[in-house]
Amino acid sequence: MSSCDEECCHGDGRDTPLTEMYGSNAFSNAMMRERLPVNIYREVVAVQNGEKELSPQVADVVATAMRDWAVEKGATHYTHWFHPLTGLTAEKHDAFISPTGDGRILLEFSGKELIKGEPDASSFPSGGLRATFEARGYTAWDVTSPAFLKQDKTGVTLCIPTAFISYYGHALDKKVPLLKSIDALSKQAIRVLRALGNETSKRVFPTVGPEQEYFLVEKEFYDRRPDLMLTGRTVFGALPAKGQELEDHYFGAIKERVADFMRELNYELWKVGIPAKTQHNEVAPNQFEIAPIYSNSSTAVDANQLVMETLHSVASRHGLEALIHEKPFAGVNGSGKHNNWSVSTDDGVNLFDPGENPESNARFLLFATAVVEAVDRYALLLRSSAATAANEFRLGANEAPPAIISIFFGGALTEIFDNIAEGKSSGKSAANSQIKIGVTSLPALPKDVSDRNRTSPFAFTGNKFEFRMVGSSQSIATPNTYLNVALAEVLSGYADKLEALPAGSGKNEAIQSIIRESYKAHKKVVFNGNGYAEEWLREAERRGLPNIKSAPDALQVLSRSETIALFERHGVFSREECESRCHIYLEKYSKQVNIEAGVTIDLVQRYIFPVATSAAASFAGDAAALASVGANNTAPAKRAKKIADISGELYDETAKLEAVLAEAQALEEPFAQAKAYAGKVKPAMEAVRLRADALEKIVPKNEWPFPGYEELLFKL
Ligand code: ADP
Ligand code: MG
């Protein structure tokens, strides 16, 4: 690919060989190894591994190298890129320039500027953690996630992933708790590994591969849907005669227009070092998925934020709009984000990999049991990590996955656990002969057991767990933080027991007994059946598993003393931080529903009523005209009446919505307010929608004020 005629030059790097282009816009470890003196590079790696603090001298050298690299690539500005509690990413740009005093400039970027920024924090949610007079917030470089260049028509900016904290050191973002949870998990997992006889691993780190779902719609249609623009979803829309029932979209041939979009999306992601790997059509019409190869979780969290941003920017260059909302369209599938999660040691052992010998089998069974216990004990917390207004349309509605947390292991593995727990051997199958930890080799487990159950919210898929409740538009930082802490807590209990064993006493027996006791106590959370079936709801209830449908109820767990104690014990959140987050999430829920209700009312008043009234009048006029010539056609009169009748109902329901909305707005206590939005405002919106959608079905198509579902879902 040395020469290149004009046609192949896309100007986006597509004419460069892939291996050269990949990561060219990321200041990755490979780039640092190339550009930093070897001793400095080693220092940075030690800081990444949590072995050292970053010294100002090292920071200065890294900053200079980073600046030179960025400027060579055309950057004029840098920004500390962070994740405030809005769930989005934030950036404040500074130019590299520094005046020399004689009318010229130098390009400057010091270690201090790399390590620490001072954006005004007062306009970000803090949940009362920051008094208004103390607006200061600080961003601090997250050495574990590579800096990258954002490149668009307007120029190039160096983006430095950072953590965001208040003047008093409270976390104001989603990154700080994530990093703390990784440390907590590492600490406890290493204790367990040491007790198992591992002397070599120094750290463990969670790995994450998120599968991102999204819809694409024609920009032209999007621009004519104020509801999509303001809320990310359609608050109205009658289902067309065809939905997803033919199952013809999932894994279907990708249309050229979409393929072209996906190709550019991949290139943009590859340039910043995001290993976008898999893409396909999803279940609903115009729904798609992109999945990168997994990486350590702090990088994966940042990368996923960038994937979402890039989806939007590339779509707009293709005359499209990417919808990342969890439920843009009623009546067809919503979008989630399967959070594939595992835990690895720094010397390359995946702790959720069953392995091939009795020793690795024992380790796997112990860590997998710990996950069962963690998921059972912290089911409410995990449920709360996916509790947003948008995701509420998926969880607990008639849609995947259910709001009940359960784990899927598949038959073979479940049999093995049951067998260990009961200490029995029926001899029916290999898995059923008695397993002796540290002695028996596990039978080979079929890897493809995993995907046979798409209905489980938490599925073991061969060597990782897939948490499927997470919503498509959410940051994955919080779900991963909770997973890490929950597992850390269980492992610390295991480590206490193992460390208390007298030297030389039966380690394998101790492990066997931990697995047996823990699995017995928590196996109620293991469920291999159909998570969508009615009978599962009853069975789950019988097992005592919580089924929390509403997001505000799910968020309450954050204010419970045992949750706060858990976070405090592992140094992830203080009481204030935990309580403030509960506040922020509840408020965010209320604000979101409030906006949707406002948009609903607005669209009814300003768009739907006028159209429906004139359609009814026009049919009535037709009826009169036909009657005047003695025609025997009552259809126009019937249609006029039907439209007018439904319009009347629409008017009444809208008035009711206005009333309950005003009541909810008047409430001050965040939980009570969110409950009012969930329990009163949302059903009132539904009642309005029912009438509006009925009107859409009978008002002449060319008079309806919005593009319909058939355009949004089927045209591309
Ligand atoms: P599926 O879930 O559809 O079967 P894959 O098994 O290929 O698909 O994986 C889906 C995602 O899981 C990918 O992003 C992949 O990189 C990620 N993944 C694979 N192994 C791990 C792991 N050990 N830790 C975290 N994520 C992983
Ligand atoms: Mg998957």
PDB file of all heavy atoms in Angstrom, residues 579-590:
ATOM      1  N   GLU A 579     -24.012   8.075  50.042  1.00  0.00           N
ATOM      2  CA  GLU A 579     -25.319   8.728  50.161  1.00  0.00           C
ATOM      3  C   GLU A 579     -25.524   9.762  49.064  1.00  0.00           C
ATOM      4  O   GLU A 579     -26.622   9.908  48.517  1.00  0.00           O
ATOM      5  CB  GLU A 579     -25.468   9.370  51.545  1.00  0.00           C
ATOM      6  CG  GLU A 579     -25.705   8.319  52.616  1.00  0.00           C
ATOM      7  CD  GLU A 579     -25.633   8.861  54.043  1.00  0.00           C
ATOM      8  OE1 GLU A 579     -25.141  10.004  54.212  1.00  0.00           O
ATOM      9  OE2 GLU A 579     -26.063   8.136  54.963  1.00  0.00           O
ATOM     10  N   SER A 580     -24.445  10.484  48.744  1.00  0.00           N
ATOM     11  CA  SER A 580     -24.600  11.521  47.729  1.00  0.00           C
ATOM     12  C   SER A 580     -24.902  10.899  46.371  1.00  0.00           C
ATOM     13  O   SER A 580     -25.655  11.440  45.579  1.00  0.00           O
ATOM     14  CB  SER A 580     -23.360  12.401  47.653  1.00  0.00           C
ATOM     15  OG  SER A 580     -22.334  11.724  46.975  1.00  0.00           O
ATOM     16  N   ARG A 581     -24.306   9.732  46.120  1.00  0.00           N
ATOM     17  CA  ARG A 581     -24.593   9.074  44.840  1.00  0.00           C
ATOM     18  C   ARG A 581     -26.055   8.631  44.763  1.00  0.00           C
ATOM     19  O   ARG A 581     -26.710   8.739  43.729  1.00  0.00           O
ATOM     20  CB  ARG A 581     -23.657   7.881  44.633  1.00  0.00           C
ATOM     21  CG  ARG A 581     -22.482   8.305  43.765  1.00  0.00           C
ATOM     22  CD  ARG A 581     -21.254   7.456  43.916  1.00  0.00           C
ATOM     23  NE  ARG A 581     -20.135   8.375  43.984  1.00  0.00           N
ATOM     24  CZ  ARG A 581     -19.263   8.566  42.987  1.00  0.00           C
ATOM     25  NH1 ARG A 581     -19.322   7.846  41.903  1.00  0.00           N
ATOM     26  NH2 ARG A 581     -18.321   9.476  43.104  1.00  0.00           N
ATOM     27  N   CYS A 582     -26.549   8.129  45.870  1.00  0.00           N
ATOM     28  CA  CYS A 582     -27.943   7.707  45.903  1.00  0.00           C
ATOM     29  C   CYS A 582     -28.842   8.896  45.525  1.00  0.00           C
ATOM     30  O   CYS A 582     -29.721   8.788  44.673  1.00  0.00           O
ATOM     31  CB  CYS A 582     -28.272   7.184  47.298  1.00  0.00           C
ATOM     32  SG  CYS A 582     -29.898   6.460  47.417  1.00  0.00           S
ATOM     33  N   HIS A 583     -28.549  10.047  46.131  1.00  0.00           N
ATOM     34  CA  HIS A 583     -29.249  11.296  45.817  1.00  0.00           C
ATOM     35  C   HIS A 583     -29.192  11.643  44.341  1.00  0.00           C
ATOM     36  O   HIS A 583     -30.190  11.940  43.712  1.00  0.00           O
ATOM     37  CB  HIS A 583     -28.519  12.437  46.544  1.00  0.00           C
ATOM     38  CG  HIS A 583     -29.295  12.977  47.670  1.00  0.00           C
ATOM     39  ND1 HIS A 583     -29.277  14.299  48.007  1.00  0.00           N
ATOM     40  CD2 HIS A 583     -30.104  12.361  48.546  1.00  0.00           C
ATOM     41  CE1 HIS A 583     -30.041  14.486  49.050  1.00  0.00           C
ATOM     42  NE2 HIS A 583     -30.550  13.327  49.401  1.00  0.00           N
ATOM     43  N   ILE A 584     -27.972  11.634  43.840  1.00  0.00           N
ATOM     44  CA  ILE A 584     -27.760  12.055  42.445  1.00  0.00           C
ATOM     45  C   ILE A 584     -28.522  11.147  41.494  1.00  0.00           C
ATOM     46  O   ILE A 584     -29.181  11.611  40.567  1.00  0.00           O
ATOM     47  CB  ILE A 584     -26.256  12.044  42.100  1.00  0.00           C
ATOM     48  CG1 ILE A 584     -25.552  13.169  42.841  1.00  0.00           C
ATOM     49  CG2 ILE A 584     -26.026  12.170  40.606  1.00  0.00           C
ATOM     50  CD1 ILE A 584     -24.042  13.097  42.775  1.00  0.00           C
ATOM     51  N   TYR A 585     -28.460   9.840  41.742  1.00  0.00           N
ATOM     52  CA  TYR A 585     -29.118   8.913  40.819  1.00  0.00           C
ATOM     53  C   TYR A 585     -30.643   9.053  40.897  1.00  0.00           C
ATOM     54  O   TYR A 585     -31.324   8.973  39.886  1.00  0.00           O
ATOM     55  CB  TYR A 585     -28.684   7.467  41.098  1.00  0.00           C
ATOM     56  CG  TYR A 585     -27.190   7.230  40.895  1.00  0.00           C
ATOM     57  CD1 TYR A 585     -26.503   6.272  41.626  1.00  0.00           C
ATOM     58  CD2 TYR A 585     -26.468   7.976  39.959  1.00  0.00           C
ATOM     59  CE1 TYR A 585     -25.140   6.056  41.439  1.00  0.00           C
ATOM     60  CE2 TYR A 585     -25.104   7.771  39.761  1.00  0.00           C
ATOM     61  CZ  TYR A 585     -24.447   6.804  40.508  1.00  0.00           C
ATOM     62  OH  TYR A 585     -23.100   6.602  40.323  1.00  0.00           O
ATOM     63  N   LEU A 586     -31.144   9.269  42.113  1.00  0.00           N
ATOM     64  CA  LEU A 586     -32.596   9.462  42.237  1.00  0.00           C
ATOM     65  C   LEU A 586     -33.030  10.739  41.527  1.00  0.00           C
ATOM     66  O   LEU A 586     -34.027  10.779  40.801  1.00  0.00           O
ATOM     67  CB  LEU A 586     -33.007   9.523  43.714  1.00  0.00           C
ATOM     68  CG  LEU A 586     -32.995   8.189  44.472  1.00  0.00           C
ATOM     69  CD1 LEU A 586     -33.133   8.427  45.970  1.00  0.00           C
ATOM     70  CD2 LEU A 586     -34.094   7.259  43.980  1.00  0.00           C
ATOM     71  N   GLU A 587     -32.240  11.797  41.739  1.00  0.00           N
ATOM     72  CA  GLU A 587     -32.581  13.070  41.092  1.00  0.00           C
ATOM     73  C   GLU A 587     -32.510  12.960  39.582  1.00  0.00           C
ATOM     74  O   GLU A 587     -33.325  13.515  38.856  1.00  0.00           O
ATOM     75  CB  GLU A 587     -31.619  14.170  41.555  1.00  0.00           C
ATOM     76  CG  GLU A 587     -32.093  14.830  42.821  1.00  0.00           C
ATOM     77  CD  GLU A 587     -31.132  15.903  43.313  1.00  0.00           C
ATOM     78  OE1 GLU A 587     -30.074  16.129  42.674  1.00  0.00           O
ATOM     79  OE2 GLU A 587     -31.447  16.506  44.350  1.00  0.00           O
ATOM     80  N   LYS A 588     -31.506  12.221  39.134  1.00  0.00           N
ATOM     81  CA  LYS A 588     -31.351  12.076  37.699  1.00  0.00           C
ATOM     82  C   LYS A 588     -32.560  11.337  37.120  1.00  0.00           C
ATOM     83  O   LYS A 588     -33.059  11.671  36.052  1.00  0.00           O
ATOM     84  CB  LYS A 588     -30.067  11.311  37.402  1.00  0.00           C
ATOM     85  CG  LYS A 588     -29.666  11.445  35.969  1.00  0.00           C
ATOM     86  CD  LYS A 588     -28.328  10.842  35.679  1.00  0.00           C
ATOM     87  CE  LYS A 588     -28.172  10.721  34.177  1.00  0.00           C
ATOM     88  NZ  LYS A 588     -27.170   9.747  33.788  1.00  0.00           N
ATOM     89  N   TYR A 589     -33.006  10.347  37.852  1.00  0.00           N
ATOM     90  CA  TYR A 589     -34.189   9.596  37.420  1.00  0.00           C
ATOM     91  C   TYR A 589     -35.378  10.552  37.278  1.00  0.00           C
ATOM     92  O   TYR A 589     -36.047  10.589  36.251  1.00  0.00           O
ATOM     93  CB  TYR A 589     -34.507   8.494  38.441  1.00  0.00           C
ATOM     94  CG  TYR A 589     -35.742   7.712  38.107  1.00  0.00           C
ATOM     95  CD1 TYR A 589     -35.653   6.571  37.325  1.00  0.00           C
ATOM     96  CD2 TYR A 589     -37.000   8.125  38.537  1.00  0.00           C
ATOM     97  CE1 TYR A 589     -36.787   5.849  36.984  1.00  0.00           C
ATOM     98  CE2 TYR A 589     -38.141   7.418  38.199  1.00  0.00           C
ATOM     99  CZ  TYR A 589     -38.028   6.280  37.428  1.00  0.00           C
ATOM    100  OH  TYR A 589     -39.155   5.584  37.093  1.00  0.00           O
ATOM    101  N   SER A 590     -35.605  11.342  38.332  1.00  0.00           N
ATOM    102  CA  SER A 590     -36.746  12.262  38.311  1.00  0.00           C
ATOM    103  C   SER A 590     -36.626  13.265  37.168  1.00  0.00           C
ATOM    104  O   SER A 590     -37.601  13.538  36.461  1.00  0.00           O
ATOM    105  CB  SER A 590     -36.834  13.016  39.640  1.00  0.00           C
ATOM    106  OG  SER A 590     -37.092  12.105  40.679  1.00  0.00           O
TER     107      SER A 590
END
